[in-house]
Amino acid sequence: MNPAKRREIYTRLRDTNPAPTTELLFDSPFELLVAVVLSAQATDVSVNKATRKLYPVANTPTAILALGEAGLRDYIKTIGLFNTKAKNVIALCQILLREHDGEVPRDREALENLPGVGRKTANVVLNTAFGEPTIAVDTHIFRVANRTGLGPGKNVREVEDRLVKFTPAEFARDAHHWLILHGRYVCKARAPECPTCVIHDLCEYRQKTPPP
């Protein structure tokens, strides 16, 4: 894909949604971190339902540790893999208090050393909480990057590296959100809504859905 086409794709996505953000509800870096950990193999909707009840009661490492693992499970038991996630959240709270004065670190290595936090989660926190130009490649972004030609790759890291390398600087901070929202609501896995897509004529996907 040539630079002019890539820039036009991002320009149109920006025009459609000038201030994109995550659909996870949060009011602090810590709330975001916990929400992203809980969102693994779960929907943002299910996580938000749980955190709407959890955060008014406990939204700091100290408060969550006071709940204990069993108490935390009661709030997140509607989310998939809640037992493992409860253990990870309790453990990461302990590390945040012991090693980071209770604050979420603005450092990839430190974030990835937290239980339940991998590269994708670290990228989300760095981008959404701290404004870093990172791109967290999930299934939606992987699909959009390969279909459109924005950043084709055989695995998530390859796609991430290409998107980071080729995304123009002016779009770098918001690219993550534009691509994930586009994949979630327009460039869907089974039936992409190509006829109504704002980048239909720029996308290099050969199997576009025909007009009705």
Side-chain angles (χ1 to χ4, degrees):
M1 177 175 287
N2 66 63
K5 182 185 287 189
R6 185 177 289 109
R7 178 174 293 277
E8 179 61 19
I9 286 175
Y10 282 120
T11 297
R12 292 187 191 180
L13 293 175
R14 180 178 63 187
D15 290 346
T16 303
N17 187 1
T21 189
T22 179
E23 293 185 315
L24 292 170
L25 302 176
F26 73 98
D27 287 318
S28 69
F30 177 73
E31 288 187 1
L32 176 65
L33 173 63
V34 172
V36 179
V37 169
L38 295 178
S39 72
Q41 299 182 51
T43 65
D44 289 358
V45 172
S46 68
V47 173
N48 288 337
K49 285 182 179 179
T51 57
R52 280 194 187 99
K53 297 178 181 179
L54 171 64
Y55 288 159
V57 176
N59 67 343
T60 66
T62 300
I64 285 185
L65 287 178
L67 284 178
E69 190 176 316
L72 178 58
R73 281 201 302 268
D74 286 340
Y75 284 97
I76 67 171
K77 60 188 177 182
T78 56
I79 302 173
L81 306 176
F82 69 92
N83 283 314
T84 298
K85 291 174 181 178
K87 291 179 181 178
N88 285 337
V89 170
I90 291 294
L92 73 81
C93 286
Q94 293 170 335
I95 294 174
L96 289 178
L97 287 169
R98 185 172 66 245
E99 300 180 11
H100 303 287
D101 297 321
E103 300 295 325
V104 177
R106 187 173 181 168
D107 175 81
R108 177 184 301 282
E109 183 178 357
L111 284 168
E112 291 186 21
N113 283 334
L114 297 172
V117 177
R119 184 176 182 85
K120 183 175 73 174
T121 297
N123 277 336
V124 173
V125 174
L126 289 170
N127 177 267
T128 306
F130 300 120
E132 300 286 347
T134 58
I135 297 179
V137 179
D138 67 349
T139 56
H140 296 301
I141 294 181
F142 185 82
R143 180 173 64 253
V144 171
N146 276 289
R147 279 181 176 174
T148 61
L150 272 172
K154 296 178 181 179
N155 55 64
V156 293
R157 183 59 190 273
E158 192 172 314
V159 168
E160 178 190 335
D161 289 344
R162 289 187 176 180
L163 288 173
V164 169
K165 180 178 180 180
F166 293 115
T167 298
E170 67 181 287
F171 304 111
R173 178 172 178 175
D174 292 324
H176 163 80
H177 296 298
W178 285 320
L179 296 178
I180 192 172
L181 292 172
H182 193 69
R184 184 173 290 169
Y185 297 112
V186 181
C187 195
K188 302 173 183 177
R190 293 186 179 180
E193 298 183 6
C194 301
T196 59
C197 175
V198 297
I199 61 170
H200 175 275
D201 56 314
L202 302 170
C203 172
E204 298 181 358
Y205 185 46
R206 295 181 178 180
Q207 298 171 289
K208 290 186 176 73
T209 305

